[in-house]
Amino acid sequence: MQYDSDLLLPKPFTVFAALGKAMVDPHILLNLLLTLRRVLIGLIIATSLGMGIGFAMGYSKIMMELVDPVITPLRQVPIMAWVPLTIVWFGLGDGPTLFLIVMVGVFPILLSTVSGVTSIDKNFYNAGRCMGAGFLGMFVKIVIPAALPEIMTGMRVAVSAGWMSVI
Amino acid sequence: MIEAQMLMDTPLLIALMIMAALVGYLMDYSIVLLSKFLSPWRFLDE
């Protein structure tokens, strides 16, 4: 019994030879760098939006009650459903791709930011107030450091989701 | 990758999938390094 079909399942040596060639192919490397650029720009936008809205939602019950009913249904829309709209709005080019990366990346960061902020022990806020910290001081010295680990976890999910969506 | 799909060049397609996985891994690892830099107290026990 012999299996010999490079179409169905190529031999490992054939794949590694193709990998070696692909890694030094300038056309492939250029396209990879362009894709990386789009992903990084999209993730910077997604991080800014996600963290901004997430901090507001986590810190304020009113913001949570106002914004959550908008965010939650928006999260459920399949990403491919946005493609025709993005082409109409942004035309052909980087616009639709960036929009899709932002849409895929913003929600994990937003949810992890909300979770990070809401899980801060109230005693930290009490201690901050006792030491005379104002709103900005508490935000910079308490909220951001306490929520940062969860935000970074959200960013890891966003990075992989953004990369998968653009590929 | 789309060209490899259209041309049914399976070895190249799998090679590009491996490249994409490697790049994704590197991006994830850079986030982990950033996390270790920004919140070192999380990793003190390691």
Side-chain angles (χ1 to χ4, degrees):
Chain A
M1 201 162 143
Q2 191 180 349
Y3 173 79
D4 190 16
S5 171
D6 265 1
L7 176 66
L8 289 179
L9 189 66
K11 299 180 194 65
F13 180 75
T14 318
V15 171
F16 285 123
L19 181 63
K21 277 189 206 162
M23 279 184 162
V24 295
D25 185 337
H27 178 70
I28 289 174
L29 290 173
L30 178 67
N31 281 300
L32 188 70
L33 284 171
L34 288 172
T35 307
L36 257 175
R37 184 184 143 265
R38 287 183 200 124
V39 169
L40 286 172
I41 294 172
L43 282 168
I44 289 169
I45 299 170
T47 305
S48 315
L49 278 174
M51 281 177 69
I53 301 172
F55 279 129
M57 284 174 70
Y59 206 71
S60 160
K61 274 194 181 142
I62 295 172
M63 279 298 291
M64 175 70 98
E65 280 169 22
L66 281 174
V67 178
D68 194 47
V70 174
I71 294 289
T72 305
L74 217 62
R75 273 197 301 128
Q76 317 305 331
V77 175
I79 199 66
M80 294 313 289
W82 291 104
V83 172
L85 271 176
T86 57
I87 293 174
V88 168
W89 288 339
F90 303 109
L92 297 172
D94 276 357
T97 316
L98 283 174
F99 183 86
L100 291 177
I101 296 167
V102 170
M103 281 304 287
V104 161
V106 75
F107 297 119
I109 296 172
L110 190 149
L111 290 175
S112 63
T113 307
V114 169
S115 173
V117 174
T118 51
S119 63
I120 297 173
D121 194 343
K122 299 285 176 262
N123 289 323
F124 286 129
Y125 291 118
N126 294 335
R129 280 190 207 104
C130 282
M131 289 182 226
F135 173 78
L136 192 63
M138 286 219 281
F139 185 75
V140 170
K141 295 271 164 66
I142 296 173
V143 175
I144 292 180
L148 206 54
E150 288 219 38
I151 294 171
M152 299 311 292
T153 306
M155 279 183 70
R156 285 182 74 183
V157 176
V159 156
S160 60
W163 182 244
M164 281 193 292
S165 72
V166 82
I167 293 281
Chain B
M1 201 179 267
I2 293 174
E3 277 176 32
Q5 270 178 344
M6 281 177 8
L7 296 170
M8 303 284 264
D9 190 350
T10 314
L12 179 60
L13 186 60
I14 295 176
L16 290 172
M17 284 166 66
I18 293 171
M19 269 181 90
L22 284 172
V23 173
Y25 174 74
L26 285 172
M27 286 199 295
D28 182 73
Y29 190 66
S30 62
I31 303 268
V32 171
L33 287 178
L34 183 67
S35 173
K36 284 187 179 174
F37 174 71
L38 289 175
S39 51
W41 60 88
R42 253 181 110 192
F43 303 94
L44 280 175
D45 290 337
E46 286 180 16

